[in-house]
Amino acid sequence: MTTGRRGRLTVYLGAAPGVGKTYAMLDEAHRRRARGTDVVIGLVETHGRTATVERIGDLEMLPRRLVEHRGTTLTELDVPAVLERAPEVALVDELAHTNAPGSEHPKRWQDVHDLLDAGIDVVTTVNVQHLASLTDDVEAITGVRQRETVPDKVVREADQIQLVDLSPEQLRRRLAHGNVYRADQIDASMSSFFRIGNLTALRELALLWLADRVDDALTRYRADHAIGGTWPARERIVVAVTGGPETETLLRRAARIAQRAAGTELLAVHVLPTDGLPSTPSATIAAHRGLAESLGGVFHTVVGEDVPTAVVDFARGVNATMIVVGVSRHSVWRQALLGSSSAEIARLSGAIDVHLVTHERAHVGTGVGSRYSSLSPKRRAAGWGSSLVLPAALTAVLLLIGRDDLALATDAMLLLAVVVGVAMIGGLWPAVVAAVVSNLCLNWFFTPPVGRWTIAQGENVLALAVFVVVAVAVASVVDLAARRTTQAYRARAEASTLAALSRSVLSGQDTAQAIVERLAQTFAMAEVRLEERADDRAPWTVVAHERWATAEAGSGAGSGAGSGGSGATDDGSVTEVAIDDRHRLLLAGRVLPASDRQVVEAFGAQAGIVLEHRRLREQAAQAEVLERTESTRTALLAAVSHDLRTPLAVIRTAVDGLASPDVELDREDRDILTGTIADSTYRLERLIGNLLDLSRLQTGAVRPVLRAASLEEVVPIAVEPWLSDLALDVPEDLPLVHTDPGLFERVVANVVSNAVRHSPPGAKVLFTASATRASVELRIADAGPGVPDDRKATMFEPFQRLDDTSVNGLGLGLAVASGLADAVGARIAAEDTPGGGLTMVLTVPREPAPNSGQDDGMVS
């Protein structure tokens, strides 16, 4: 039976298993039932958790549907039974669950849709790692591919989403106390999926995803209720970026305003004209984009026919609370005649505040010479010449034909065609001159009274005036079309050139060399050099260099990014483009026009990024080497002063006892002293071997031989002296690891020795191993006193002790183990043992097996 309405969906969203989603859902069910609502449990997964089972209490629970699959009986949600029971509210756990074959639907969320269509409200749960859009992100964080997913749309369209949040530390404590999984699953879970880093990242994903959903809900509410004004739920500042020199001032001023309130968003918007052609050089826009992002903002580019309207529409679309604009650069008289964009934005803004910022370029004008001519000097000279010659020549031809044979309108149209031709040859101003000359010829030779500048008939005055206006208007359109065509070709060539550069840089080539090669080919330059220097007074040295033989031959096979892209010849000119204080580009072969120089500057900016990344990589590598050197040196000094002295003192004491003439020793006493010497000698040999390996690694004389290795050739040898003190749980089917078996064996031995030494008498050390997607983990857990949290950060440093009175301490063993582990690509970490003690986690990378297709699954 249906109620005629669609049911409401409530989702409890969690960052990970065990945060309490099911418990919160059951709480909601008890509250609703207390208010008189008919609530039943369609399906709840307790996973054996006592608190969850107890929280079910006396809630009505419908039987599950039994499904036979490959000889196994599985239980699923019984959708027909829920529909027949027709409750007001049904609880359905684990929304992303995949149903067993033979069910009505392959996914549980589809079963939930059937209940909602029947008018039943549904309360369900889902973890953030099951959202389809986050599958790749979750795999990158945890190393495990999630196989059970639910489309984001299903959760986003829920009527209510409740976030069940728990800090990673609290969740791990719940796990350690056995509140999430059985005791035999705790160690494996804490070492794989439930790491602190994994849980923190998943928690952030859940919060960010839910924040986006809240923004969507607010936008949808405003649209549903036709709310056009802005709601200041969050401060958003929009900066109108013109691309002029005042842009930097505007961005910095807006950033300072944004910093006054926490959570304020900064958005910069640049409006392109509707023809799509950039009015500002791309290098300038790129610089402004970088500045906006460095100030914590986001840069947007929109297309609009009217700049003020486009800016205000954008601000309203993002629900902005303030628009920051600059004072107009136009002169006062031009603003009085044509208005200004800033004043128009203020008029259109409505409830959005407008912050007007003054700057150095305010009211100084944009300059008369700002219009760029794309015509060559030869074409401009031809245009000026034809502006005088063509009207005169056509007038002579018309006079030869005879004045009486053609009407005045025909003469005017022919001369108008001449004006259009001049516009196509030489641009706007030659065409204006041609229009004036043509008008004078019409007046003198063809308008009665002929041979005089006076006009007898009034309609001829109007005809001549219309002729001039039409001629100038047509010439303007033709000139503008020619400019736009040239700009379009140039923009396409520049975009193609920069795209080709990006492909060459991202393809893994030597990027600096790729840049100079592309420059030489694109601009047909005879030679291109990328140079650097150590400081302002140091000489320049060549980083990358390219000669292009075709350019020297004058073939000019450039891409056409600039006006001189073809037919270039080597005239010995050198163009210098500064990247920064320490780097520059030199281009030899011809003089580059300003338009081509803009593209070269974009190349230079890319080269600067490449060089900076190279410098940072080199510094990081040097710092890593120095850090390892210092660590090894410190370990060696501590070993000499501590670990070497102890066995030597024991040997010396035993030798003195054996050699003393004043003491009579029986055979048993001599055997004890001899055994003491043997044990101390063994410890000393082992320690010296470790020190020699560290010393050789430090000097580079011996390098680890990393190869595929099985733990079966490492663990038995490493733990042999302490077998009676260990409880081993190492599966035989562990994958191969990528390490140096000999050195890694010493790492394991040092860690095991330390754990046995700190365990209480009679307590065994638990040694377990497990595999994740990218590594194999060895966990050595003792039941000793443990290590305080404030000491875990320094416990791997040499000569560290638990307290000032401790005799054994941590000493050198863990420091040597840590140094060797770094050398063989492994990692050591310390965790608390559930119930007390310390667990050392050794993580060693697996041997790559790209074609294995292995999928380890995920804890759910």
Side-chain angles (χ1 to χ4, degrees), residues 69-80:
H69 178 61
R70 296 181 179 178
T72 303
T73 302
L74 305 175
T75 62
E76 298 291 353
L77 173 66
D78 195 340
V79 177

Side-chain angles (χ1 to χ4, degrees), residues 141-338:
I141 294 169
T142 64
V144 180
R145 186 74 176 180
Q146 182 54 248
R147 290 169 293 182
E148 291 191 333
T149 61
V150 58
D152 287 46
K153 182 180 179 181
V154 174
V155 183
R156 282 187 179 276
E157 291 179 349
D159 299 277
Q160 187 175 3
I161 300 179
Q162 295 283 348
L163 179 64
V164 183
D165 192 25
L166 201 64
S167 71
E169 292 78 10
Q170 289 176 306
L171 180 55
R172 283 174 62 86
R173 280 198 295 271
R174 291 194 63 196
L175 187 67
H177 293 160
N179 296 332
V180 180
Y181 295 126
R182 300 190 308 270
D184 58 346
Q185 297 177 311
I186 293 175
D187 285 339
S189 300
M190 293 185 70
S191 65
S192 55
F193 186 79
F194 287 86
R195 294 188 181 95
I196 288 287
N198 289 1
L199 297 178
T200 302
L202 291 174
R203 188 187 189 195
E204 183 177 9
L205 279 180
L207 292 171
L208 291 175
W209 189 92
L210 188 60
D212 289 341
R213 198 268 181 184
V214 171
D215 264 352
D216 292 342
L218 179 60
T219 302
R220 184 166 58 251
Y221 180 86
R222 293 176 64 227
D224 292 342
H225 293 77
I227 301 174
T230 57
W231 280 12
R234 180 190 299 181
E235 292 291 334
R236 289 185 176 90
I237 300 176
V238 172
V239 186
V241 175
T242 63
E246 74 279 3
T247 296
E248 183 174 345
T249 301
L250 298 182
L251 289 173
R252 297 190 185 279
R253 180 67 59 83
R256 289 198 297 271
I257 297 173
Q259 291 172 358
R260 297 174 185 170
T264 300
E265 295 184 14
L266 178 64
L267 302 96
V269 58
H270 176 66
V271 180
L272 291 176
T274 52
D275 53 18
L277 297 175
S279 57
T280 304
S282 57
T284 303
I285 295 299
H288 294 163
R289 181 187 299 274
L291 176 60
E293 293 173 351
S294 68
L295 295 173
V298 181
F299 194 93
H300 297 269
T301 301
V302 299
V303 176
E305 184 176 351
D306 180 68
V307 172
T309 303
V311 170
V312 173
D313 288 345
F314 175 84
R316 287 176 178 160
V318 299
N319 201 22
T321 56
M322 179 184 293
I323 302 175
V324 176
V325 295
V327 175
S328 176
R329 285 180 289 157
H330 297 314
S331 58
V332 176
W333 67 267
R334 183 169 179 178
Q335 292 183 52
L337 293 176
L338 304 177

Side-chain angles (χ1 to χ4, degrees), residues 784-817:
V787 177
D789 290 338
D790 58 347
R791 299 296 302 276
K792 289 177 182 176
T794 59
M795 63 184 294
F796 294 104
E797 296 178 2
F799 211 51
Q800 294 294 314
R801 298 180 183 271
L802 292 175
D803 53 58
D804 295 335
T805 61
S806 175
V807 176
N808 294 327
L810 295 177
L812 179 65
L814 291 180
V816 174

